[in-house]
């Protein structure tokens, strides 16, 4: 999956799954803009947005709506 275009958008890019980690959990956070989360080839990922849980297979993405508490884990 070519994600080079992501490095040219603002405000920031965080590529999830680009490195191999055994287990991880992102901090619960709330942002006031859309967040595009791209999941790489390594591992299995899950994201919780409010009370909803989404399984994210390799090479998938999720758009988190603004103003929603969310966390990711793998």
């Amino acid at each position: 999956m070519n994600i080079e275009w992501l490095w040219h958008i603002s405000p920031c890019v965080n590529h999830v799954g680009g490195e191999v980690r055994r287990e991880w959990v992102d901090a619960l956070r709330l942002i006031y803009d859309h967040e595009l989360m791209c999941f790489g080839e390594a591992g299995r990922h899950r994201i919780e947005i409010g009370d909803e849980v989404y399984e994210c297979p390799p090479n998938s993405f999720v758009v988190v709506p603004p103003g929603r508490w969310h966390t990711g884990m793998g």
Side-chain angles (χ1 to χ4, degrees), residues 1-16 18-19 36 38:
M1 174 166 70
N2 185 351
I3 62 163
E4 290 299 318
W5 63 272
L6 289 174
W7 297 111
H8 301 286
I9 62 175
S10 182
C12 64
V13 174
N14 181 10
H15 185 241
V16 179
E19 66 224 28
L36 171 63
C38 297

Side-chain angles (χ1 to χ4, degrees), residues 28-47:
L28 182 65
R29 63 189 176 276
L30 173 73
I31 60 173
Y32 295 98
D33 200 353
H34 288 87
E35 180 177 5
L36 171 63
M37 298 184 72
C38 297
F39 300 95
E41 296 175 1
R44 297 180 56 138
H45 311 285
R46 186 173 74 188
I47 184 167

Side-chain angles (χ1 to χ4, degrees), residues 46-58:
R46 186 173 74 188
I47 184 167
E48 296 178 8
I49 304 173
D51 294 333
E52 301 290 326
V53 177
Y54 302 94
E55 297 295 329
C56 305

